[in-house]
């Protein structure tokens, strides 16, 4: 067990640097398997925070003490608050001035890998209990040397209510998470719900794929390997990401060791000559699917139009057959996701100054107009 600090009301804050036993398994992005697999993805030192009373975890979340001012943009508080153009296309433009980057570091990022910040506990912790956890965690962060704390991509009504109720926290408009509700009527209802122009695009996509002899279908979930890694690296390179084949292999090995095949859904798009053109990989959690990986053979002309088939059309068909209710497509609400049936769930950023030097900058950033 990690360090324990008194948190009031007979509770104490327990802080671990490795995933503790009996961690609450209530949401996918806070689940033990996901945290064990992806806990090293965010930069900085990871910590597991639990508010405990009489041996019972009342509320829990994760955080990272981030010291590198040049860390990846989606975890970089300075970038998220003041970069122009913004990190996410749907973010509000920042105010004209920004503090020196070094003034924001080190900071505590309260976040889970997968770009969400949730708090879990028995029966769903109340906003008051979440507020107790936040107060204890920020006191710990101050003692650990953080200049501020930030809840990145706040998720869940209890957390958002607790943040809104506290004058110590300021909300910075963030982005949205794209979620698709799987229609009970299957693929036909899915298409019927789309805007008229989107319905036409779906028909064109499927017509052109059929003419080219391209077919997309489920594949055995225990077989992803070198071919998927190659297409995955194509995607990473196209969008300027950072990774290596060795890193992706390691993550794949962890995935298949932590998630049995019955929780994985793999889809392949193949050419008329049986070449692998594209793939998508989803993880099932309850009645939800979460996109984990995808990849494409951009050099093959037959790859054209496979994106939406392997990411939306064929998965929607399979999800309905399996009783899946929602598919989580992650952060961002680009036009392509919106036009293919996703809705956007708000994921804002909340910041509290722990040393006093950032308060004027935070207040100025928080005065921006509310997001739509």
């Amino acid at each position: 067990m990690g360090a324990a600090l008194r948190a009031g009301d007979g509770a104490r804050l327990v802080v671990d640097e490795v995933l503790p036993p009996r961690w609450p398994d209530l949401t996918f992005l806070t689940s033990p398997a996901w945290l064990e697999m992806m806990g090293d993805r965010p930069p900085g030192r990871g910590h597991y925070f639990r508010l405990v009373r009489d041996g019972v975890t009342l509320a829990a979340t994760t955080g990272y003490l981030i010291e590198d001012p040049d860390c990846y943009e989606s975890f970089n508080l300075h970038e998220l608050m003041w970069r122009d153009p913004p990190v996410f296309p749907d973010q509000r433009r920042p105010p004209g001035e920004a503090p020196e980057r070094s003034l924001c570091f080190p900071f505590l990022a309260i976040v889970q890998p997968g770009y969400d910040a949730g708090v879990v506990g028995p029966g769903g912790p109340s906003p008051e209990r979440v507020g107790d956890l936040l107060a204890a965690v920020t006191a710990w962060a101050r003692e650990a040397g953080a200049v501020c704390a930030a809840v990145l991509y706040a998720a869940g009504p209890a957390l958002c209510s607790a943040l809104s109720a506290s004058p110590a926290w300021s909300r910075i408009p963030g982005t949205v998470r794209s979620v698709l509700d799987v229609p009970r009527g299957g693929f036909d209802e899915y298409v019927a719900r789309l805007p008229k122009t989107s319905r036409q695009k779906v028909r064109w996509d499927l017509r052109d794929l059929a003419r080219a002899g391209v077919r997309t279908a489920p594949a055995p979930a225990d077989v992803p390997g070198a071919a998927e890694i190659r297409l995955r690296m194509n995607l990473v390179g196209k969008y300027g990401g950072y990774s290596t084949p060795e890193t992706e292999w390691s993550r794949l090995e962890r995935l298949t060791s932590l998630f049995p095949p019955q929780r994985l859904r793999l889809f392949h798009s193949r050419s008329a000559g049986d070449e692998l053109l594209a793939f998508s990989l989803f993880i099932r959690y309850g009645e939800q699917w979460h996109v984990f990986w995808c990849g494409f053979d951009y050099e093959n002309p037959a790859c054209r139009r496979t994106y939406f088939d392997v990411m939306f059309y064929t998965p929607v068909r399979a999800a309905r057959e399996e009783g899946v209710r929602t598919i989580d497509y992650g952060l961002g609400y680009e036009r392509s996701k919106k036009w293919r049936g996703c809705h956007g769930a708000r994921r804002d950023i909340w910041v509290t100054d722990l040393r006093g030097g950032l308060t004027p900058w935070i207040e100025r950033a928080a005065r921006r107009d509310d997001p739509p």
Side-chain angles (χ1 to χ4, degrees):
M1 180 175 289
L5 305 170
R6 289 188 178 181
D9 193 26
R12 58 197 179 103
L13 178 71
V14 179
V15 185
D16 294 282
E17 293 190 15
V18 296
L19 184 67
R22 297 183 297 278
W23 181 266
D25 190 353
L26 299 171
T27 71
F28 174 65
L29 293 177
T30 60
S31 66
W34 177 255
L35 293 174
E36 186 173 346
M37 182 177 70
M38 297 295 289
D40 62 348
R41 175 66 179 83
R45 288 174 288 152
H47 297 84
Y48 300 86
F49 301 105
R50 290 177 293 147
L51 196 64
V52 177
R53 185 171 62 202
D54 298 330
V56 176
T57 296
L58 306 175
T61 193
T62 60
Y64 294 80
L65 197 59
I66 299 178
E67 300 179 350
D68 181 9
D70 297 314
C71 68
Y72 185 57
E73 59 185 15
S74 298
F75 295 108
N76 189 314
L77 182 60
H78 191 277
E79 295 284 277
L80 289 168
M81 290 184 65
W82 289 289
R83 198 182 84 171
D84 193 2
V87 171
F88 299 102
D90 61 330
Q91 273 187 286
R92 299 297 192 192
R93 296 182 69 87
E97 294 184 90
E100 291 292 330
R101 183 180 295 265
S102 60
L103 292 179
C104 298
F105 296 85
F107 81 98
L108 178 70
I110 300 172
V111 69
Q112 284 91 49
Y115 306 115
D116 240 18
V119 176
V120 291
S126 66
E128 293 75 20
R129 186 62 67 200
V130 174
D132 293 341
L133 176 65
L134 290 173
V137 168
T138 52
W140 175 91
R142 185 181 291 107
E143 292 299 317
V147 299
C148 63
V151 176
L152 304 184
Y153 318 116
L159 176 57
C160 293
S161 294
L163 291 164
S164 298
S166 173
W169 292 90
S170 298
R171 185 181 64 81
I172 310 300
T175 182
V176 297
R177 195 168 191 92
S178 290
V179 179
L180 190 149
D181 297 322
V182 178
R184 292 188 175 184
F187 186 74
D188 289 342
E189 184 180 342
Y190 163 72
V191 175
R193 287 183 178 183
L194 297 175
K196 181 178 179 180
T197 54
S198 297
R199 294 197 299 270
Q200 187 61 54
K201 289 179 183 294
V202 172
R203 296 186 186 102
W204 288 342
D205 286 343
L206 296 177
R207 178 200 63 192
D208 291 350
L209 289 168
R211 287 176 176 175
V214 174
R215 63 196 187 282
T216 302
D222 57 349
V223 300
E228 285 82 4
I229 294 291
R230 179 177 66 84
L231 300 191
R232 162 74 178 163
M233 293 305 300
N234 287 349
L235 179 75
V236 171
K238 179 178 180 178
Y239 291 99
Y242 60 99
S243 189
T244 65
E246 292 75 21
T247 298
E248 301 303 317
W249 269 112
S250 175
R251 191 142 291 150
L252 177 60
E253 290 170 355
R254 275 191 279 176
L255 173 76
T256 54
S257 69
L258 291 165
F259 294 94
Q262 59 266 31
R263 289 191 58 188
L264 304 179
R265 297 296 180 270
L266 177 65
F267 297 91
H268 280 173
S269 286
R270 292 189 173 276
S271 70
D274 205 36
E275 302 164 293
L276 182 60
L277 303 172
F279 83 94
S280 60
L281 181 59
F282 297 76
I283 303 174
R284 179 160 186 166
Y285 186 89
E287 296 180 327
Q288 304 170 331
W289 281 359
H290 297 260
V291 175
F292 178 65
W293 263 1
C294 61
F296 305 87
D297 188 357
Y298 296 113
E299 295 182 358
N300 191 326
C303 181
R304 185 171 178 265
R305 294 192 185 275
T306 57
Y307 174 81
F308 292 111
D309 198 13
V310 79
M311 291 294 290
F312 287 88
Y313 309 153
T314 299
V316 164
R317 289 189 177 97
R320 174 63 190 92
E321 293 173 1
E322 294 190 21
V324 172
R325 300 184 65 175
T326 60
I327 303 177
D328 179 358
Y329 285 92
L331 283 193
Y333 194 36
E334 298 88 353
R335 186 166 56 180
S336 60
K337 292 181 181 179
K338 182 177 181 179
W339 284 6
R340 261 60 181 195
C342 290
H343 63 84
R346 289 251 26 116
R347 292 295 186 266
D348 289 323
I349 299 157
W350 292 78
V351 188
T352 185
D353 188 1
L354 301 179
R355 300 290 177 181
L358 280 172
T359 296
W361 297 101
I362 293 172
E363 290 178 347
R364 191 178 307 167
R367 283 197 295 268
R368 285 180 283 173
D369 293 338
D370 287 343

